[in-house]
Amino acid sequence: MNWQQLITLIVARIKQVVGLYAFIFIPMWGMYFLNEFSLFGLWNIFGIVPRALDVGSMIGVLASWTMHGNFPHLLGNTVTLLQILFLFGLFEKNAYRTVIKLVIASGLVTWVIGSPSSIHIGASGLCFAMLGYMIGGAVFARRWGYLLACIVMGTGYWLTIKQGLMPQQGISFAAHFGGLCAGLLLGANSKHTYEVSASRY
């Protein structure tokens, strides 16, 4: 790879970062304000209800990351996603496809393992799925970019994972644990795709 190809790659990945921010944050923030001021909180009833086969819970599997209980909830997930999406935009050839896979996988695992009397909303399941994907890619698929990111930002990620996996009132352990497991599995199996896409540059 010569310097012109490297610059082209960097520019493309930076554009992807910006695109990912729009892809995730416009629905997240847009639905929060729409829900607050027009829907009177009704959007959140479509959260994930584990093992329920109704349409609402199926919507939650795909869209619970756009549902937040209050502004601090939204802001906390936004701060975490700002960092992780930046890394995804840099290191993933097709980051949009990977994020969609993680949304679906984390939602499905939450649907399977969660308490049947609970409802799960928020983007934290996606946050943990992306963290798991990075760790799985670094440890099992030897993706050196993610390994470097995990080392440099390891303290913050470790604290986030540790706190998120501690059972707390009002915090979805199922979404956090389910998202982390789904991400680890997908990240561990990302080696082949990564090598093929990297060889094109």
Side-chain angles (χ1 to χ4, degrees):
M1 179 185 294
N2 60 39
W3 67 269
Q4 291 178 323
Q5 291 174 316
L6 179 61
I7 291 174
T8 300
L9 176 60
I10 292 172
V11 170
R13 294 301 172 87
I14 291 175
K15 288 181 179 178
Q16 185 171 241
V17 169
V18 175
L20 279 176
Y21 284 162
F23 183 68
I24 294 297
F25 293 135
I26 289 176
M28 268 180 59
W29 283 74
M31 285 308 302
Y32 174 78
F33 286 109
L34 182 63
N35 189 44
E36 284 289 304
F37 299 111
S38 297
L39 301 178
F40 308 103
L42 293 177
W43 178 236
N44 289 354
I45 69 174
F46 295 107
I48 301 172
V49 178
R51 294 174 296 286
L53 296 174
D54 57 274
V55 174
S57 191
M58 295 302 101
I59 291 174
V61 168
L62 300 175
S64 62
W65 59 277
T66 66
M67 307 170 190
H68 290 84
N70 51 46
F71 188 73
H73 186 200
L74 173 69
L75 190 59
N77 284 331
T78 297
V79 171
T80 302
L81 284 170
L82 277 170
Q83 302 172 59
I84 305 175
L85 287 170
F86 178 79
L87 297 172
F88 261 61
L90 290 183
F91 297 129
E92 287 295 309
K93 170 63 176 177
N94 193 333
Y96 300 96
R97 181 174 59 192
T98 301
V99 169
I100 291 171
K101 287 181 180 179
L102 292 171
V103 166
I104 296 171
S106 61
L108 285 174
V109 175
T110 302
W111 183 82
V112 169
I113 70 173
S115 169
S117 60
S118 60
I119 182 168
H120 302 264
I121 62 172
S124 56
L126 174 60
C127 293
F128 273 80
M130 296 178 78
L131 286 171
Y133 184 90
M134 291 173 57
I135 295 169
V139 174
F140 300 108
R142 297 181 181 179
R143 299 187 59 174
W144 308 122
Y146 285 143
L147 179 61
L148 178 62
C150 289
I151 292 173
V152 172
M153 305 181 72
T155 302
Y157 286 162
W158 167 248
L159 290 175
T160 298
I161 293 172
K162 182 180 178 182
Q163 292 173 355
L165 294 180
M166 294 176 62
Q168 304 172 57
Q169 183 68 29
I171 303 297
S172 176
F173 172 80
H176 293 178
F177 181 74
L180 185 66
C181 291
L184 282 169
L185 182 61
L186 289 174
N189 288 280
S190 66
K191 182 177 181 180
H192 178 70
T193 301
Y194 177 73
E195 289 182 342
V196 170
S197 60
S199 67
R200 295 175 183 173
Y201 289 97

